[in-house]
Each structure stands twice: as C-alpha cells, then as structure tokens.
Amino acid sequence: MTAAGAPPRGFAVDEFRERTARAQRLMASRGLAGLLLLTEPEVRYFSGFLTQFWQSPTRPWFLIVPAAGDPVAVIPAIGAEAMSRTWVRDIRTWPAPTPDDEGISLLSDTIREILAPGPVGLPMGPETSLRMPLNDFKKLGRTLDGHDFVDAGEIVRTLRMVKSEAEIDKVRFACQAVSGVFERLPELLHSGMADSDVFRTFKIACLEAGVDDVSYLVGGAGPGGYSDIISPPSGRVLQDGDVLILDTGCMFDGYFCDFDRNYAIGRIDDEARRAHDVVWRATEAGLQVARPGARACDVWRAMQDVLTAGGALGNDVGRMGHGLGMQLTEWPSNMGSDETVLEDRMILTLEPGMTFAPGRVMVHEEDIVIREHGPELLTRRAPNEMPVIG
C-alpha cells in the first residue's frame, strides 16, 4: 500500500516522449546517429524500466535512442515482460545468460538496422561506467563499420540535471518521509544501544514512513564527535558524550533523498556544539547563493567561507554536496573547480563538513531544488541546536 501523500508512481508517456525529443535535438546539434545506453539510470530515464534486477552483474541491458523515432530495447528475455509495461514498444531479446554471445550479435544487428551511418554517443566521462564486459564492447566495435563511439556524457548530464516537476515530487516525498523519522529519532534511540540496532531501527522507521528502500545508510559515533561517516555499524554501544551521525539515501519510486542528521547522546560538549552551529550556518550561506545563474563553485565558496571563519581545520571529502535524483549522487559537485551554472529545477544537496578538532568531524546536509525565487528545501530544516538523546 502506498503511503498517504505519496505522488503517483511512474511517469506519463508524454514525459518520456519529451525526454527523447530533447535528447534528439542535442544529438542533431552534435551530428550523432543515436545514443547507446547501458547503465540503469540512463536506461530507466528514457524507458521507465525500473527493477532491482540490475544488482545482478550476469546480464547486460541495452537501450538505443535513434536520431529520430522511439527508443529500442535490446535486453535479456527475462526482462521482456517488465519492459513491455513501459512505453517502449520495440523490444528485442536474447536468452541470457549466453556468455559466448551476450546480446552482442543482436545489438550489432539492431544498430545497423535502425541507425544511419555516423557516430554513436555513449557516456564516457566522469561518473559514468560501461556496465558490460570490456571484451564484448571491443567485439561490438569491430562489427559496426560506419559507427564510431563518441562521448555523449554532456548530453546525458544536460538532460538529467534539470528535473521535471514529477521527478521533484518523488524526491520531495522521500525527503519529507525521512525528515519525519529523523525528527522522532530521539524517541527511538537511547544511550547503551548498539549501533547495529540504531541502524536497524532507523531503516524500519523509514520503511514504515513510506519509502520503498533504505538503499544507503552509513554513519558514525564517538566521544565528542566522529571521525568516519561512511561505514556500516560495527556493534559499538552508544555512550553518554557521544555524537552520532546518520546519513541516508532512501528511495521512492526510483528517486533518492540524501541527507544526514547529528545527535548528542546524553550531553554535548562545547566544541561539538560550536561545530554544529558552524556547519548549520554554512548551510544557510549555501542557501543564500543557490540561485539560477550561480555556479556550483559559488555555492561551495559561500559555505567554505563560513567554515574557515568558524575555525575549520580542514575537509577531506573534496566537495560539499552534489546533484541528486535517480542516483544517490549526480552532477554537479559543489566544489571549487565545478563551474556548472545552476538552473531552475536542479536538485542539489548542501553538505558542508569540517574537522573541528583532531580526529573529530562535523557534517551537515540538506536537500534543495533550485527555483527562480530562491531554493526550495525538500528536507525539513535541521534545528540549529543539536538534539540530545537521553
């Protein structure tokens, strides 16, 4: 049963047609015969094909977006029924797994049939992956006279960074559901609780709040602060004086939230209190700058200035937030070298972090959508004062 207030699942066919048309306009400007897409988010973006079966590495999946016309799926036969429930009508299958020819002959024949001679776009740059055996990719290239592969990463980034309102609704629902869990977490946790039970309790509460999956949950705890924020539970017991962080990416209908919250166990010392105030105010600074026309590096600089003034000893993460949507992290990155210009309907995380004492880190994160009138918070803003768990 879908949670109350959840947006409709899936998308109207018109949205997929518009995504395809935008891609084809970009392809035409670059002289591409088509796009070859192999990874889960790209295939799903153009088709609506949503399944956790991607977690198995056994079978590759292919979607071709021609310069004109609708996408064509070339997929393992096991996915034919699920793909038939999308708007894609031309679905070609092979009986995978067939390691000697894992769809390569069928894919090659299909490309030669539906694409005019010319370069074929394939995302190749940062934050992309091939998602098929390299030997098979080389074999495919040898069979395609007249079709060279070129980098189409810019096309995919351009399309996916700016969300539709229907996409934003899904992220907003996940953010709101998890915000409610974070707000009542002091009622669910207590000193003396093992961190494995903390993680389990949080996941159950998020699922009960209406998300489909708690796909990402990491955190850390330590006396007066933490030093590691990317690990699973270790079995350590929460103690008075600890600071606990939980950072989660929960999913609803294939779209992520990604934010964290900090809690003091029993009591909070002055250094941790001040550090929490600094990262909270750094987030406020990011909110003031995050407007259409600003750059990702401008958002980073606004937050970094507050951290520096607040006595930050460093930040080893490399960035302070990122794009968000179909993946836990997307383009752009809030860092000093990313000059991506922000546009209306981009979703970002703001994630300032600082080392405030040797071996002690404080990180804070919110999710926003860029709007012409100023950023819209998708999460419910964390309190400036760190909550204390008795």
Side-chain angles (χ1 to χ4, degrees):
M1 181 168 56
T2 301
R9 292 183 181 274
F11 297 96
V13 170
D14 284 348
E15 176 145 345
F16 291 112
R17 293 194 185 282
E18 174 58 24
R19 293 175 184 181
T20 302
R22 288 172 60 207
Q24 289 168 336
R25 290 193 291 271
L26 291 170
M27 281 190 277
S29 69
R30 292 158 176 79
L32 300 185
L35 296 177
L36 175 61
L37 306 170
L38 306 99
T39 63
E40 191 276 342
E42 273 73 48
V43 171
R44 174 156 54 100
Y45 183 79
F46 286 100
S47 69
F49 181 65
L50 177 60
T51 174
Q52 290 196 339
F53 204 68
W54 287 89
Q55 294 186 32
S56 168
T58 303
R59 302 167 177 86
W61 305 74
F62 310 110
L63 191 77
I64 304 166
V65 180
D70 295 340
V72 176
V74 180
I75 62 173
I78 196 171
E81 174 62 27
M83 184 65 79
S84 72
R85 294 193 292 270
T86 74
W87 80 294
V88 177
R89 297 276 68 90
D90 192 341
I91 302 168
R92 308 181 186 195
T93 68
W94 79 95
T98 312
D100 290 340
D101 185 2
E102 204 63 84
I104 299 305
S105 294
L106 179 60
L107 178 62
S108 178
D109 291 344
T110 304
I111 289 174
R112 288 197 299 268
E113 174 190 337
I114 70 172
L115 298 187
V120 177
L122 180 71
M124 297 179 181
E127 300 189 44
T128 68
S129 60
L130 190 58
R131 219 293 179 172
M132 68 180 292
L134 181 58
N135 285 337
D136 282 0
F137 181 69
K138 292 178 177 178
K139 184 190 303 182
L140 176 66
R142 291 194 295 268
T143 69
L144 292 176
D145 293 337
H147 292 293
D148 294 326
F149 290 110
V150 299
D151 187 7
E154 182 185 359
I155 291 176
V156 171
R157 288 193 301 272
T158 298
L159 293 171
R160 285 184 46 203
M161 280 196 299
V162 177
K163 271 61 176 181
S164 69
E165 292 298 337
E167 290 179 290
I168 293 168
D169 286 345
K170 297 178 192 298
V171 177
R172 182 188 295 109
F173 176 77
C175 288
Q176 290 293 305
V178 177
S179 289
V181 174
F182 273 131
E183 288 168 354
R184 65 187 185 92
L185 208 56
E187 306 167 15
L188 304 176
L189 307 184
H190 57 82
S191 180
M193 195 174 190
D195 61 1
S196 53
D197 291 330
V198 170
F199 277 53
R200 186 176 299 107
T201 298
F202 181 84
K203 288 183 177 182
I204 291 170
C206 288
L207 292 170
E208 290 177 342
V211 302
D212 295 335
D213 198 8
V214 186
S215 304
Y216 180 81
L217 179 61
V218 295
Y226 41 83
S227 58
D228 172 18
I229 62 168
I230 65 168
S231 292
S234 65
R236 182 184 180 277
V237 171
L238 296 181
Q239 303 171 19
D240 282 356
D242 279 353
V243 175
L244 166 71
I245 184 173
L246 292 177
D247 184 358
T248 190
C250 293
M251 180 182 285
F252 176 79
D253 198 25
Y255 283 77
F256 281 95
C257 68
D258 177 24
F259 63 114
D260 62 43
R261 292 292 181 261
N262 293 276
Y263 302 88
I265 308 301
R267 56 186 170 80
I268 180 172
D269 68 28
D270 288 340
E271 277 191 308
R273 179 181 287 107
R274 284 194 296 268
H276 188 267
D277 176 67
V278 171
V279 295
W280 193 91
R281 288 188 291 107
T283 306
E284 287 291 297
L287 287 168
Q288 294 302 312
V289 174
R291 301 285 195 280
R295 300 168 300 173
C297 57
D298 298 328
V299 177
W300 174 85
R301 172 53 60 191
M303 294 189 287
Q304 182 61 48
D305 286 348
V306 175
L307 298 179
T308 299
L313 302 180
N315 181 352
D316 296 333
V317 174
R319 63 182 181 180
M320 288 190 278
H322 49 78
L324 176 70
M326 300 174 71
Q327 292 173 282
L328 183 72
T329 68
E330 298 183 354
W331 319 274
S333 289
N334 297 331
M335 59 186 186
S337 60
D338 194 327
E339 298 190 356
T340 300
V341 176
L342 304 185
E343 298 181 46
D344 184 55
R345 292 184 284 117
M346 282 185 176
I347 298 179
L348 297 178
T349 75
L350 301 182
E351 190 177 10
M354 60 184 280
T355 298
F356 64 93
R360 296 166 69 185
V361 177
M362 188 69 65
V363 181
H364 177 57
E365 189 171 22
E366 302 283 6
D367 298 345
I368 66 171
V369 58
I370 303 299
R371 299 291 194 186
E372 291 293 344
H373 59 273
E376 173 194 345
L377 272 163
L378 298 176
T379 48
R380 296 204 286 269
R381 189 76 169 96
N384 176 244
E385 185 73 20
M386 188 189 302
V388 177
I389 295 174

